[in-house]
Amino acid sequence: MTDRQAFSGLTVLDFSQGVAGPHATTLLALHGADVIKIEPLEGDWGRGLGKIEGDHCAHSVAFNRGKRSLALDLKAPDAIAAVNKIAAKAAVVVESFRPGVITRLGFGYEAIKKINPSVIYCSVSGFGQTGPYSKRPTVDGLIQAFSGMMVMNRLPDGTPWRQGMIAVDVTTGLYTFQALSTAILRQFRFGEGCHIDSSLMRAAAAWQGAKLMEWVHTEGNPQPLYMPAGSYKTSNGYIMLSAMRPHHFRKMFELIGRPDVAADPDLQTHENRIKNAPKIVKALNETMPARTTEEWIALLQPNEVFCERVSNYEDYLAHPHVKETGAVDWIKQDGFASMPIANIAGLPPAREDPARHHAPHVGEHSRAILGELGYSAAEIDAMVAKKAIVVPSLPARAAE
């Protein structure tokens, strides 16, 4: 593990749970920060998203890599004292409670700022810290509905459709990491802290910024960006086609044996292809099932017609290009078979630093963290006995 990462030497006090906040703090950890994950005695609720192995699921592994876990009761006096010691030295504090909860617990921005004036404090929530919906409970799918994303992602019959992954949570984590990174730079240059209000609602809008503009620009009637574009059934799967430029359009239909469409006078301009899109879709639906996806790709790609096989995750992970470029590494996590780690631009490949990608068990580092704060073994044992903290019930990861 190198000590020359961008955020090496920074302490991050991470109260966040779920996905959005933990994603942001995992990115800080992967860039070198010492992220101390504060969890309730039973663990982050995000550990239970989907199939569970021990005290982890795939999501909790993905979004908690590189952190250290301190599991405690935030209402116990001994635990409160310990957290305040961490808060006093932390460069960054992140929380994702419903607005007002962290303040009642005694760890709100104003309380932390008193003991750490230059702290960067980030609150991650569904609708933000202010406004009529600020305390409204929500999750990723509800924000997809609220923000217009489900309408943008509607089915061909017009039914609004939720994306099958937690897209808004993950995107919120990225925007939050961006905000924290620039705040850390300001803190380094000017010694100033701040309070960042990050929300799923605002992240969803930022991600869809161009679509919001388009909606207003077209008075609520956005058109396809170009035509043809979309996935079509072949004899053994699906193929994605994209023919934005006029010569791509003509070449594609000539190659697939439909010169009638290529020469159709109603389809010779960008505007007319969009206006007459049903004619194009009908021709492709009639023609593409005649061959396999691989046969079409072999015909179209050498002639610079944009197309790609519609793959699943197994296809992606097994693809020779993915393997040769090192886009994914496989890392062992306690309780799981080897797990794929998608390598991120600007970070060392996971295979070069597998220890950094370990996701902690509940309270795995409670003893070590408290020891660093000056607590004796007897004091830590007393805190365990009083259920102010927990130590892991699962064995800690074996030393590398």
Side-chain angles (χ1 to χ4, degrees):
M1 187 177 295
T2 178
D3 62 357
R4 295 180 64 84
Q5 297 280 29
F7 301 134
S8 294
L10 293 184
T11 297
V12 176
L13 179 58
D14 181 14
F15 293 101
S16 68
Q17 298 186 56
V19 172
H23 185 202
T25 51
T26 278
L27 292 170
L28 293 176
L30 294 178
H31 282 281
D34 178 18
V35 177
I36 299 175
K37 181 178 179 66
I38 302 297
E39 301 192 69
L41 301 179
E42 67 277 11
D44 177 352
W45 62 261
R47 293 176 178 272
L49 296 170
K51 183 181 178 181
I52 302 171
E53 298 288 347
D55 61 356
H56 271 304
C57 62
H59 286 83
S60 68
V61 171
F63 299 119
N64 287 288
R65 291 174 286 148
K67 303 177 186 178
R68 298 196 293 163
S69 171
L70 172 56
L72 44 72
D73 178 0
L74 284 176
K75 296 180 180 179
D78 290 343
I80 292 171
V83 172
N84 276 323
K85 287 186 178 183
I86 301 170
K89 68 172 185 175
V92 175
V93 175
V94 179
E95 62 91 9
S96 63
F97 292 98
R98 198 175 301 180
V101 173
I102 192 73
T103 298
R104 291 197 296 272
L105 290 171
F107 301 107
Y109 175 56
E110 294 301 329
I112 300 300
K113 188 178 178 182
K114 288 180 181 178
I115 60 174
N116 188 346
S118 64
V119 70
I120 297 165
Y121 193 102
C122 180
S123 297
V124 183
S125 63
F127 286 96
Q129 299 300 300
T130 60
Y133 272 27
S134 61
K135 296 184 180 180
R136 188 182 184 100
T138 194
V139 292
D140 184 283
L142 300 185
I143 294 295
Q144 288 193 34
F146 179 87
S147 69
M149 187 182 298
M150 286 176 59
V151 173
M152 179 272 289
N153 196 42
R154 72 181 71 196
L155 297 177
D157 67 359
T159 302
W161 197 252
R162 180 182 68 85
Q163 293 198 40
M165 65 170 289
I166 44 176
V168 177
D169 267 302
V170 174
T171 303
T172 303
L174 288 172
Y175 280 117
T176 303
F177 171 69
Q178 175 195 29
L180 289 169
S181 298
T182 55
I184 289 168
L185 182 58
R186 290 196 306 272
Q187 184 188 62
F188 175 76
R189 294 183 65 194
F190 308 119
E192 298 174 354
C194 61
H195 186 187
I196 298 169
D197 179 0
S198 179
S199 70
L200 274 67
M201 178 199 69
R202 295 174 72 174
W207 191 33
Q208 299 176 91
K211 299 300 290 185
L212 293 175
M213 292 182 185
E214 182 184 57
W215 182 270
V216 172
H217 177 59
T218 62
E219 297 181 341
N221 188 32
Q223 63 185 30
L225 299 182
Y226 53 88
M227 200 65 192
S231 61
Y232 296 89
K233 186 171 178 56
T234 65
S235 66
N236 69 337
Y238 288 85
I239 187 170
M240 183 72 184
L241 299 171
S242 179
M244 177 174 64
R245 299 180 181 180
H247 67 280
H248 289 152
F249 167 77
R250 290 190 297 271
K251 176 66 72 172
M252 182 180 73
F253 277 101
E254 289 169 357
L255 288 168
I256 69 173
R258 294 297 302 267
D260 58 313
V261 179
D264 189 326
D266 291 337
L267 302 175
Q268 297 308 303
T269 67
H270 170 78
E271 291 77 11
N272 282 340
R273 285 190 290 276
I274 291 174
K275 178 181 177 181
N276 296 300
K279 185 181 290 190
I280 296 173
V281 172
K282 180 176 182 293
L284 290 170
N285 283 332
E286 291 171 348
T287 308
M288 301 314 289
R291 300 191 187 189
T292 68
T293 300
E294 293 72 24
E295 287 171 336
W296 285 125
I297 289 174
L299 174 65
L300 297 174
Q301 279 192 348
N303 289 283
E304 298 184 350
V305 175
F306 295 0
C307 60
E308 195 57 74
R309 175 189 180 188
V310 177
S311 299
N312 60 29
Y313 291 143
E314 182 180 0
D315 299 328
Y316 177 83
L317 292 171
H319 198 283
H321 181 80
V322 173
K323 291 183 176 181
E324 185 174 327
T325 58
V328 173
D329 284 328
W330 293 80
I331 300 298
K332 180 68 177 175
Q333 170 72 29
D334 300 343
F336 289 81
S338 291
M339 300 282 277
I341 299 292
N343 285 316
I344 300 171
L347 285 171
R351 62 185 176 275
E352 294 181 6
D353 194 3
R356 191 183 293 277
H357 293 270
H358 171 70
H361 298 299
V362 178
E364 179 174 337
H365 304 93
S366 294
R367 288 189 180 277
I369 293 168
L370 292 175
E372 293 166 8
L373 295 174
Y375 289 87
S376 68
E379 289 173 320
I380 296 171
D381 288 341
M383 292 172 72
V384 172
K386 289 187 288 186
K387 297 184 179 180
I389 68 165
V390 297
V391 294
S393 56
L394 294 174
R397 178 178 52 118
E400 295 291 335

